[in-house]
Amino acid sequence: MASLGLSGAGASAQEALEVAGKQIDRQIQADRQYGDLSDLLRVASHGAPSMSGVSELDYPALNTLHPALANLPLLSPVRRVPLPPELVEQFSRMQCNCMMGVFPEISRAWLTIDSDIFVWNYEDGSDLAYFDGLNETILSAGLVKPKPGIFQPHIKFLLCLTTPVDIVLLGVSFANPAEGAAPGSQYAEMHLLPDPLFSIPSDNTYILSVVGTDKGRIFLAGKDGCLYEVVYQAEEGWFSRRCKKLNHSMSSLSFLVPSFLTFSFSEEDPIVQIEVDNSRHVLYTRTEKGTLEVFDLGADGMGMGRVSWMNQSTIVQYAARVASTIDRSNFKSIVHISAVPNTDSTNVHLVAITQTGVRLYFTTTYFNQPQARPSILTLVHVRLPPGFTATAAPQRPTNIHSAFYGKGSTLLASSQAEDSDMLWCLSTDTFPFQIPLMETQITLGIDGRTWVLTEVSDGEDFGIFGPRNGAGPPRSLPPVVVNQHWLPPKRYVVLSAQGSYLLSQLRPVDQLRQLLLSSGGPDCEEVEAFFKLLKDDQACATCLILACSRAASDQEVSDWATRAFFRFGGEAQFAFAVAPDMTNIGQVQALFPSTPSAFVTSTPANHQLPFRSPDPSSTAIGPEVKFSGKHNGICLYIARILGPLWESQVVFESKQQGQQMLCSTVTGEGLGWVLDELRGLRDFLEKNTLASGPAATNGFGSPRNIHQRMLGFLRPDTGATGASQMQQQLQRKYQTEAQAAEKASLVQVQQLVLRTCEVLGLWRALCEHPFQVVAAGLPKEMQNQLRGLRFRDVIVNGKEILSALITSLINRYLGDDATTDAISSRLREVCPSLYSTEDAVCSKANELLQAASKTQSTAERLKMLQESLQLYRQISNQINLPMVCGQFQQVHFYDGVVELSLNSAQRRDPQGLALHHYRSGEPPEDTQGSMAFTARLECYKCVTDALGQLVTISQEHPGSPSVPNRPGPPPDTRGRLSAVEAQQYVDQMMRLALKSDDELFHVALYDWLVSTGLQDKLLEISSPYIEPYLTRAAQYQGDNIATYDLLWKYHEKSRNYSAAAQILSKLAERHSTEVDLKQRIEYLSRAAMCAKSSSTQAGGATDGEFLHELEEKLEVARLQVQVCEALARMSTRLPRVQEALGQLNAELVDITRLYGDFADLFRLSECKLAIIHCAGHHDPTLVESLWQEIVQKELSDSAGSPADTRMTMLGNKLVRLGKTYASSDRFFPLAFLVKLLERKVLELDFAQDWAFSTLLSIPVPISKLLTIYDRLFKAKDPCWQSARRPLHVLDAIYLLLTKYATEPTLVPAYERRQFTMFCLDCIASYLVELEAMSSTAAGVQEMVRNFRGLQARLERLL
């Protein structure tokens, strides 16, 4: 699914929702500020009774508020339905008794004639049913609910009939309603079971009334003054019968006394009425003589206990104390009692109505203890009927014989004549939120005497939102104006011998409709007076119910209501902290003396939404915007539509199929009505809010009558004309700002309406799937978040959770292999901002992707994947790219990963800001470029991640065992790629990727290759972006040797040898511990090779000079290696040696420093010799000293070893060095070395031929050696004499010549004769020298013989 982030516009839209949501919060809270009935009656506690009805404000005459209100309709006759003709015939057969009543639960009236009972629909006189299975006269009848679990499900009610002999329970069932039938049609066709379910004797007790409770209990009013109960159960027990009659007015032993005895011992006071309060489980009885009694049915409604009672004289006495100025006769003869449920009041529990219309209010508990059980019966208020004020009309209710009280309305049937009644209706609906209680009155004539007067209900008040509404019903029902948009008007039925009268008590919206219809439009005083009566905000909210109606039959009324809304809804104004003009409100103030403000409001004072003026020129104390009634009415209407839903929890937990599921607290059907109302308001706002309205100058923000409206808010200025003009300009400015503020607020409210319609429309779609299954598809953290949310949270701030729910819904379709076209189309229709066209495209693409994963045909699969890719490309900047690419990877569609990622990168940065940012060096101040660069990298990462997974698989050994990640069965390897297949996909992705002209993608790809150790792959890439990449990397990553390595290799591969040589030279010379000396030499060697190749290509002088420079550096570097090796042979534990080695490995040093700082410092003679040789430095003395040090060091190193070993070691050293330097007499002083070695032969007793044999091994030419030895002999150095070996050199010469005589091949053949002649000449001279010596000298004669013999051998070589 698409995941759309909030842009700047999105953030402002979210802020608008927050502000509008707070306005709805305030309106909902304001609607809850209505008083309890005890507050309206001004009763502070159960011990402080009060009275009302004597003030003109208790029953204000509407015509005194405005003459046009004189005809305001309050009670409307719906129809009169005569008795069915069949019943009229039955009256002629009556012998003993006739009774009539109503079963409002099933819309039926009943009539008993003797032993027969007839039941029919009082709405239209249809569905007449009867029962004639009794032999005795029926005394009473009652319809009660059955106890659960006892009877068959088709038995919906029990009909209890009592006779002087027995009590019978009949089953009542109904035919199944037709499909598509209207609500309430479940009771369309009634059937009475012919056989009684139970029948018990009445024990000669006359039962006058039958009443049932919601728990299925049946109570009977006995003529003997006792309260009875019929108790029944499913099976008969050991000590209990299936059905029996209990007496709750007598002791538990009363069954031992016969009923005729109890009757004779007590004065008869029959119970004539039983009233049950099912909300509190309390039962009240009224006797014929006016005694009231309270029974507690227990907290669960299944108990029974007598609480208290009060006879008529006591009631009159208490009432007279409260209303001491009223005649006591007004308090006698109670004709009706009504329980006040907890939805009507917390503190007042019972209302009793007297024959004169006085209402007596009672409580059974101490005040403000809603959970307390009844313990008292106390009179707390006396309400006199109309006619007791000084200015009242002489007509007042008298001879009341039937009455009804409920939900703030009272109906009184007053006998005017034997064959007619006057019906009084008293209601608080016209004055909501008003304290103290104010009621309107109306009278209506009724033909015939009223037998029954009661209300008929059309349904439960809170039923449309489901049983698990997160927030329970309020402590008491609000005024009808709050719920009039969804609750039907109160309906009453009056039953007489002539038939049934159906009456409707008009809600304010019904009154407005009647006024519009009767006046032919809104342009009349009656409609204007109606707005003044309800006040602007309440009247506008009421007007919107009609204006937003979408029914075709209401179109004309809707148009009229819209005109009235704009005409009488007022304008936004600035209110100042000054006293208003009181001249025009004196009448209202006199009418409502308790209202603290000069402006009377019908809602609490907190309903206004103040905004401080931004005008700094204002000198008044904080002018504030007072929004118009139009604005407040719209907010109020929204709050009332959403009221029961707004603060409700969205889900509740329910265990289904062994699992805890999250279920919606509202049903799809329940949301249907809310959506209809909201969509009507949405259409109204779209049509009118941002335009000028229906009238030319009466729309939102209209400047109509600005000056007149503002004059009352400013102090009158009696100054100069200029000051007056300035004041008027200031007024106009404030007025304009006020209208602008209101218009801005209305735009926010409109956005909230649009969002609410979408959210609830989506929620309704979720409920149809069903909701608990969709919620189960959410992640755990989302489910936990959902548990704590209210609908307000979801509407205002719930875009994230709603997106998750949409995703789960779409995934459910995909999981079932179902097409998403239908659900996508519906979601686009009901919530376009939550599920856009892009979301639909995403869903379709995901559907194709899922289908492709399950398709066996390769061609079909590839076609689906390509179609999916093309759809994703359309919305690639909004999708969850990693998730989609992950799905592509699962189906091995790696080309799709590359194409979609590159397309997404382009869409997220269409202006190319990222490339400019990259080429500019990624400056931190370029925030836009940085964000675009990051967005692109996130897209590229999808490609590199896919490549990384493939590379990992391709490097796995096919036969290597894998260790499982968790215990259990082996993982499913089906569909897993082999190493070969993975490598093929890697190559395929790389080929496609390298075709891209997206430079930044190439950068990201190259970075990934380097980071994963695949940098060698870069050298195989032929791309125009590789060289700039490597060059930039070398610039910005100067310490990264690998980057330079890649760069010179790339240049070498590209045959750019000169650049490669330059880089290699820099690598060799750079100061770094990462590269050792050996690597530096390799760099230099490679650089030299590249330089040679470059010079071969170009042949320039510059290249030749660079090559020469490299060769010199290479030669010095090799010397540096020699120094390092020499130092390494020393004791490396010495810190100075370690430091020197570190320096030599960290960089290339010049030859001077190499000699002075290292070779000379550490007395490395060989190295010094090599350095001066490399430098061409000619210093014979230095060279001879170095050779002497070398010889001496080698001898020192071998000290203690046998002579042969020492000879070998020194000889090897000399041979090795001689091979290097023998070609240069400057650095290989042969004469010096011969003399030095011969002296060492004498000193160390080495072999006589060791010195020259070592030199010959270098090889030094024997002719050259003979010359050196000859000169050494003839030099007559005294050192030989000092060593007492004066002929040592001559002995060496003899051995040298003997070696030649033995091995003439030591001298080339072409030089051999000449050399032999030279040898013979030398021998001749030596013989002369020897013969001149003393013949007695030791060894002289032997040497002479040796030379003569050698002479003869050499002569033979000639």
Side-chain angles (χ1 to χ4, degrees), residues 684-877:
F684 174 85
L685 292 175
E686 290 176 352
K687 182 179 179 181
N688 299 292
T689 300
L690 302 180
S692 62
T697 59
N698 291 347
F700 289 119
S702 167
R704 179 171 61 92
N705 298 329
I706 293 176
H707 307 296
Q708 289 82 354
R709 289 194 301 277
M710 290 300 295
L711 284 175
F713 287 96
L714 295 176
R715 298 180 186 275
D717 190 348
T718 58
T721 304
S724 176
Q725 293 178 351
M726 181 179 296
Q727 185 183 40
Q728 292 180 6
Q729 292 177 359
L730 185 62
Q731 293 172 11
R732 288 194 294 269
K733 181 177 182 180
Y734 280 146
Q735 182 66 21
T736 302
E737 290 183 358
Q739 292 174 352
E742 176 169 295
K743 191 166 186 178
S745 178
L746 284 171
V747 171
Q748 296 171 339
V749 171
Q750 185 179 24
Q751 292 180 11
L752 178 66
V753 172
L754 294 174
R755 171 58 64 86
T756 306
C757 288
E758 294 191 16
V759 171
L760 297 186
L762 169 62
W763 205 268
R764 187 180 186 185
L766 293 171
C767 291
E768 296 172 1
H769 281 88
F771 181 88
Q772 57 266 30
V773 177
V774 178
L778 294 175
K780 290 298 181 183
E781 60 272 14
M782 284 289 185
Q783 293 186 24
N784 293 333
Q785 181 182 348
L786 196 60
R787 287 184 175 90
L789 291 180
R790 303 168 298 166
F791 275 100
R792 182 203 189 281
D793 306 323
V794 174
I795 292 170
V796 176
N797 297 305
K799 192 164 187 179
E800 181 182 359
I801 192 70
L802 291 172
S803 297
L805 285 168
I806 292 175
T807 302
S808 179
L809 176 60
I810 297 298
N811 289 340
R812 182 167 182 262
Y813 274 79
L814 296 177
D816 293 341
D817 296 334
T819 179
T820 60
D821 292 343
I823 188 64
S824 291
S825 176
R826 181 176 179 187
L827 291 177
R828 286 200 308 273
E829 179 184 353
V830 299
C831 51
S833 72
L834 300 174
Y835 186 80
S836 61
T837 303
E838 290 78 8
D839 294 323
V841 172
C842 183
S843 298
K844 186 62 180 179
N846 201 11
E847 176 188 337
L848 289 169
L849 183 56
Q850 297 295 330
S853 65
K854 301 175 183 179
T855 302
Q856 299 299 324
S857 171
T858 303
E860 187 68 20
R861 174 174 169 273
L862 184 59
K863 178 182 177 183
M864 289 182 176
L865 290 175
Q866 287 293 343
E867 290 179 3
S868 175
L869 173 62
Q870 295 308 315
L871 290 174
Y872 277 129
R873 284 170 63 94
Q874 298 176 20
I875 55 171
S876 58
N877 61 322

Side-chain angles (χ1 to χ4, degrees), residues 39 67 272 411 879 884 946 1111 1140 1238:
D39 299 324
V272 294
L411 270 71
I879 60 175
V884 175
E1111 289 174 342
E1238 289 297 338

Side-chain angles (χ1 to χ4, degrees), residues 133-333:
L134 300 180
N135 298 321
E136 301 294 330
T137 301
I138 297 176
L139 301 178
S140 61
L143 189 73
V144 298
K145 291 183 178 180
K147 292 181 180 178
I150 295 182
F151 304 108
Q152 294 296 325
H154 68 277
I155 298 179
K156 303 299 183 183
F157 292 94
L158 300 178
L159 179 59
C160 181
L161 303 176
T162 67
T163 71
V165 177
D166 51 10
I167 301 170
V168 178
L169 295 181
L170 300 175
V172 179
S173 63
F174 298 88
N176 293 328
E179 185 176 354
S185 59
Q186 67 269 29
Y187 302 136
E189 185 177 347
M190 174 179 169
H191 299 285
L192 289 174
L193 275 63
D195 298 323
L197 300 174
F198 296 109
S199 179
I200 57 175
S202 62
D203 298 330
N204 297 322
T205 301
Y206 278 36
I207 302 300
L208 304 182
S209 178
V210 179
V211 174
T213 70
D214 287 346
K215 297 289 185 178
R217 300 177 70 176
I218 304 173
F219 292 97
L220 312 175
K223 189 177 181 181
D224 57 358
C226 294
L227 176 67
Y228 296 93
E229 181 180 2
V230 175
V231 180
Y232 60 92
Q233 58 189 17
E235 299 293 338
E236 189 169 352
W238 285 98
F239 302 101
S240 60
R241 291 172 294 174
R242 290 192 64 197
C243 186
K244 60 183 177 181
K245 176 170 65 73
L246 297 181
N247 187 340
H248 292 300
S249 298
M250 314 252 332
S251 67
S252 58
L253 298 179
S254 62
F255 67 91
L256 299 177
V257 182
S259 58
F260 68 89
L261 293 179
T262 59
F263 175 78
S264 62
F265 293 152
S266 62
E267 182 180 357
E268 186 175 287
D269 187 10
I271 296 178
V272 294
Q273 185 183 0
I274 299 175
E275 186 72 10
V276 176
D277 183 354
N278 285 300
S279 66
R280 296 187 181 91
H281 303 305
V282 179
L283 182 144
Y284 307 95
T285 64
R286 174 178 65 88
T287 68
E288 191 177 69
K289 296 181 179 180
T291 298
L292 306 182
E293 190 167 7
V294 184
F295 294 83
D296 183 7
L297 303 183
D300 60 353
M302 300 307 294
M304 173 54 74
R306 297 176 68 181
V307 176
S308 182
W309 62 276
M310 186 180 294
N311 58 32
Q312 179 168 290
S313 60
T314 305
I315 294 173
V316 172
Q317 180 181 354
Y318 284 136
R321 291 179 184 174
V322 177
S324 57
T325 60
I326 306 301
D327 187 359
R328 286 177 172 244
S329 62
N330 289 291
F331 309 133
K332 294 181 180 180
S333 301

Side-chain angles (χ1 to χ4, degrees), residues 478-499:
V480 70
V481 71
V482 175
N483 293 333
Q484 63 175 338
H485 56 289
W486 66 277
L487 278 183
K490 302 172 188 175
R491 296 173 64 241
Y492 306 98
V493 59
V494 178
L495 204 60
S496 70
Q498 282 71 34

Side-chain angles (χ1 to χ4, degrees), residues 275-444:
E275 186 72 10
V276 176
D277 183 354
N278 285 300
S279 66
R280 296 187 181 91
H281 303 305
V282 179
L283 182 144
Y284 307 95
T285 64
R286 174 178 65 88
T287 68
E288 191 177 69
K289 296 181 179 180
T291 298
L292 306 182
E293 190 167 7
V294 184
F295 294 83
D296 183 7
L297 303 183
D300 60 353
M302 300 307 294
M304 173 54 74
R306 297 176 68 181
V307 176
S308 182
W309 62 276
M310 186 180 294
N311 58 32
Q312 179 168 290
S313 60
T314 305
I315 294 173
V316 172
Q317 180 181 354
Y318 284 136
R321 291 179 184 174
V322 177
S324 57
T325 60
I326 306 301
D327 187 359
R328 286 177 172 244
S329 62
N330 289 291
F331 309 133
K332 294 181 180 180
S333 301
I334 296 176
V335 298
H336 181 78
I337 59 173
S338 290
V340 181
N342 57 13
T343 54
D344 283 2
S345 176
T346 300
N347 298 320
V348 178
H349 303 156
L350 181 68
V351 176
I353 301 175
T354 69
Q355 192 174 10
T356 59
V358 175
R359 283 167 287 177
L360 306 174
Y361 295 83
F362 296 86
T363 185
T364 61
T365 63
Y366 301 103
F367 273 23
N368 300 319
Q369 296 183 9
Q371 303 301 324
R373 301 309 305 161
S375 58
I376 57 176
L377 180 62
T378 302
L379 177 67
V380 294
H381 187 79
V382 176
R383 176 80 169 179
L384 301 177
F388 281 84
T389 60
T391 59
Q395 185 182 20
R396 67 173 64 172
T398 57
N399 299 323
I400 304 299
H401 62 88
S402 184
F404 171 82
Y405 172 87
K407 301 177 184 176
S409 297
T410 303
L411 270 71
L412 308 173
S414 172
S415 298
Q416 301 298 311
E418 187 66 27
D419 57 351
S420 65
D421 279 348
M422 178 66 71
L423 185 66
W424 290 74
C425 179
L426 311 176
S427 175
T428 62
D429 293 349
T430 306
F431 304 103
F433 304 101
Q434 189 63 46
I435 298 178
L437 185 68
M438 296 175 61
E439 293 179 300
T440 54
Q441 55 174 311
I442 191 173
T443 58
L444 184 67

Side-chain angles (χ1 to χ4, degrees), residues 1206-1276:
R1206 301 183 75 185
M1207 283 190 298
T1208 302
M1209 292 177 62
L1210 181 57
N1212 292 338
K1213 172 73 74 173
L1214 293 172
V1215 170
R1216 182 174 63 79
L1217 293 176
K1219 290 180 181 296
T1220 303
Y1221 304 111
S1223 61
S1224 175
D1225 292 339
R1226 289 185 176 185
F1227 302 101
F1228 194 75
L1230 186 58
F1232 173 78
L1233 287 174
V1234 169
K1235 180 179 180 181
L1236 177 63
L1237 294 179
E1238 289 297 338
R1239 289 183 64 181
K1240 294 302 178 182
V1241 169
L1242 288 177
E1243 293 175 8
L1244 301 176
D1245 196 20
F1246 285 175
Q1248 190 73 29
D1249 62 349
W1250 173 79
F1252 69 80
S1253 296
T1254 299
L1255 293 174
L1256 287 174
S1257 300
I1258 289 176
V1260 176
I1262 193 171
S1263 58
K1264 195 172 185 180
L1265 274 178
L1266 180 59
T1267 303
I1268 297 298
Y1269 269 95
D1270 181 62
R1271 291 175 183 172
L1272 183 61
F1273 172 71
K1274 292 177 180 179
K1276 304 299 182 180

